[in-house]
Amino acid sequence: MPSPAAIGHVLPEWVDHYGHMNLAYYVVAFDLATDLLWPRLGLGPVFRAQGLGTFAAENWVAYKREVTQGMPLAARSEVLAHDAKRLLLRHRLFHGTEGWESAECELLFLCVDLEKRRVAEWPVAVRAAFAAMPPGEAPKRLALKR
């Protein structure tokens, strides 16, 4: 499994009145992890240039250990499952230098035709990139279908 990739530090505006990162900013951190993953999967700007996008349909977050202002953050991502129109991921958030896990997030993404604003099928090359990723553990909370 690859090492976690750096995604930044806990910013002052991310910290709540308890002195730790507010729950909303964990989702921001996981979104930054998604941005790092997309190029490896053929998504992002090249994908959008084809008139396609990724829309998050569902997410689940588990908090394991608090992080506080200034702490470095890193994330590791894995593809859990995919089909013709859906992609299920897990991101894990770590302390960037000490390596302990702070939180994890499962996300369900849909392939969307941006002109029609409707769910569409992933291009063949993108599905091949999903399949080429090392298999992740089984999902804990989410599934491809409801």
Side-chain angles (χ1 to χ4, degrees):
M1 177 151 315
S3 298
I7 60 171
H9 289 77
V10 178
L11 301 176
E13 58 270 23
W14 293 5
V15 176
D16 64 17
H17 51 273
Y18 295 115
H20 59 214
M21 190 161 82
N22 178 269
L23 66 97
Y25 293 100
Y26 280 86
V27 176
V28 170
F30 289 125
D31 198 43
L32 294 171
T34 299
D35 291 344
L36 290 177
L37 178 62
W38 271 186
R40 293 177 23 215
L41 298 177
L43 304 172
V46 172
F47 189 65
R48 286 192 306 275
Q50 298 173 56
L52 298 169
T54 56
F55 286 18
E58 192 173 359
N59 76 319
W60 166 79
V61 178
Y63 307 96
K64 298 181 176 189
R65 186 170 169 184
E66 69 180 348
V67 290
T68 58
Q69 184 176 329
M71 283 186 174
L73 301 174
R76 185 169 48 229
S77 305
E78 56 189 344
V79 171
L80 303 180
H82 60 89
D83 66 13
K85 299 178 181 181
R86 291 175 276 282
L87 171 65
L88 184 57
L89 301 177
R90 176 181 294 118
H91 296 306
R92 293 177 192 253
L93 187 66
F94 297 91
H95 185 284
T97 57
E98 296 176 12
W100 45 262
E101 188 173 356
S102 173
E104 67 179 309
C105 180
E106 289 182 7
L107 295 122
L108 179 64
F109 287 95
L110 305 174
C111 179
V112 174
D113 180 312
L114 296 174
E115 183 178 327
K116 295 177 184 175
R117 308 304 271 195
R118 306 290 293 172
V119 175
E121 290 197 6
W122 301 108
V124 172
V126 170
R127 287 185 75 183
F130 296 168
M133 292 288 288
E137 297 174 13
K140 293 181 181 178
R141 298 289 175 145
L142 302 185
L144 288 180
K145 299 182 181 177
R146 296 177 188 211

